[in-house]
Amino acid sequence: MTAATARRTAPSNVTFGAKRDTHDVARLRPAELRRLFRRRHGRTYPFDDVGLRARDVVLDHIVQSGAVDASQQATTFLAECCPWTVADERPAVIRQAIQRRKFWDKSELGNLLGLTWEERDACRITTIRPAGATDADMADRRRLKGKLAKQEKRRMETLHPNEDLPKPAIRAHAIAAILRIGERCAVSAICEELKRTRQIPFAHLEGKALTTAVHKAIDYGIEHGFFLKVVDRAGRIPVATITKIVNAR
């Protein structure tokens, strides 16, 4: 018996295609594709060239997914999403996918589908590249996401500070968030920026109370190693400046 014959005669509960220890691509792609096409077409795919292509791409991945019930998954998919593939035709369509054994490269598939960056994010797709995306584009995107994630973390820490920390610590972190590493800034300028941006830990403070709170926060930052304070006494009135030397921890 040939391998092709074995696949044609295999019962519906026998695994075919990928091995059980298949790569994440084979495991994840069927669900990713289902989310993408549901977003594009709704529950039922159109009965045209676009719908036929979507059907075949999904089947190519289901039959190589390594799932024990891959045959049943394929049959259910056709019944739910491609009802125009009538019941009598479904076994033959699934056999064709098994015989094709088509493995789609991440870039090849993205280009074929015209996948956009927005669709990739919205459908939680990780195994397909957006159409036309290069290695450099993907690296830039990862860096951007990392940067945005850090910004969001800082925003949440500012809006929802850890209540277990003492107030000077919470306020020191808020000041650190508005300074760049190596940036030198006068204490008076920090007070003005805090008033302008209405930082939550300082929101109810004004005048001398604000200045006192800022100095206590700065003292905390100096003690914990992320601020450096320099007092310029060259003029008639000493001027204190603060430099953030490392990110707050």
Side-chain angles (χ1 to χ4, degrees):
M1 180 183 293
T2 66
T5 303
R7 291 191 199 97
R8 285 198 296 270
T9 58
S12 61
N13 65 341
V14 173
T15 302
F16 49 78
K19 296 180 180 179
R20 291 296 293 153
D21 59 349
T22 186
H23 187 273
D24 282 349
V25 169
R27 271 195 315 108
L28 299 175
R29 277 246 183 107
E32 291 182 349
L33 289 166
R34 294 284 292 269
R35 290 195 293 271
L36 173 65
F37 292 138
R38 189 176 184 91
R39 176 183 172 88
R40 287 183 173 183
H41 308 306
R43 185 176 181 85
T44 304
Y45 299 0
F47 185 31
D48 56 18
D49 289 345
V50 172
L52 286 166
R53 181 181 64 194
R55 179 197 70 180
D56 290 346
V57 166
V58 173
L59 286 176
D60 285 342
H61 288 86
I62 290 177
V63 300
Q64 294 193 59
S65 66
V68 173
D69 62 341
S71 179
Q72 183 57 52
Q73 284 188 32
T75 301
T76 301
F77 159 70
L78 290 173
E80 292 179 351
C81 300
C82 310
W84 32 265
T85 302
V86 296
D88 289 346
E89 297 175 353
R90 290 168 194 164
V93 170
I94 295 171
R95 280 199 300 272
Q96 289 169 7
I98 298 170
Q99 291 163 0
R100 276 196 303 272
R101 296 186 62 81
K102 170 65 176 176
F103 176 80
W104 291 92
D105 171 77
K106 57 190 175 184
S107 295
E108 176 190 18
L109 185 54
N111 291 337
L112 175 77
L113 300 178
L115 181 67
T116 67
W117 289 100
E118 192 274 335
E119 287 177 324
R120 191 174 190 268
D121 289 342
C123 298
R124 308 188 307 282
I125 293 173
T126 61
T127 70
I128 311 171
R129 283 190 175 181
T134 64
D135 288 347
D137 294 330
M138 299 304 295
D140 287 344
R141 187 73 169 191
R142 285 192 294 271
R143 282 193 290 269
L144 176 60
K145 283 191 169 184
K147 180 180 178 181
L148 293 175
K150 289 179 181 177
Q151 289 176 347
E152 177 62 13
K153 181 180 178 182
R154 287 196 296 269
R155 188 188 75 85
M156 293 300 293
E157 288 174 347
T158 300
L159 291 176
H160 308 285
N162 185 344
E163 297 299 335
D164 294 335
L165 292 175
K167 284 186 178 180
I170 295 170
R171 289 167 177 167
H173 282 77
I175 293 173
I178 66 175
L179 296 176
R180 298 185 181 92
I181 292 179
E183 182 178 10
R184 188 174 178 181
C185 191
V187 175
S188 59
I190 292 174
C191 291
E192 289 300 319
E193 181 65 10
L194 292 171
K195 286 193 293 185
R196 186 186 69 81
T197 57
R198 299 182 182 277
Q199 294 287 326
I200 298 297
F202 298 90
H204 64 289
L205 301 175
E206 295 181 359
K208 188 175 181 179
L210 174 61
T211 303
T212 299
V214 169
H215 278 287
K216 287 182 178 180
I218 289 170
D219 289 343
Y220 177 93
I222 294 169
E223 181 183 348
H224 287 78
F226 52 91
F227 289 154
L228 176 66
K229 183 178 181 180
V230 176
V231 179
D232 183 358
R233 303 182 185 277
R236 289 187 302 171
I237 301 176
V239 176
T241 58
I242 302 303
T243 302
K244 183 170 81 169
I245 53 178
V246 296
N247 286 320
R249 294 181 294 276

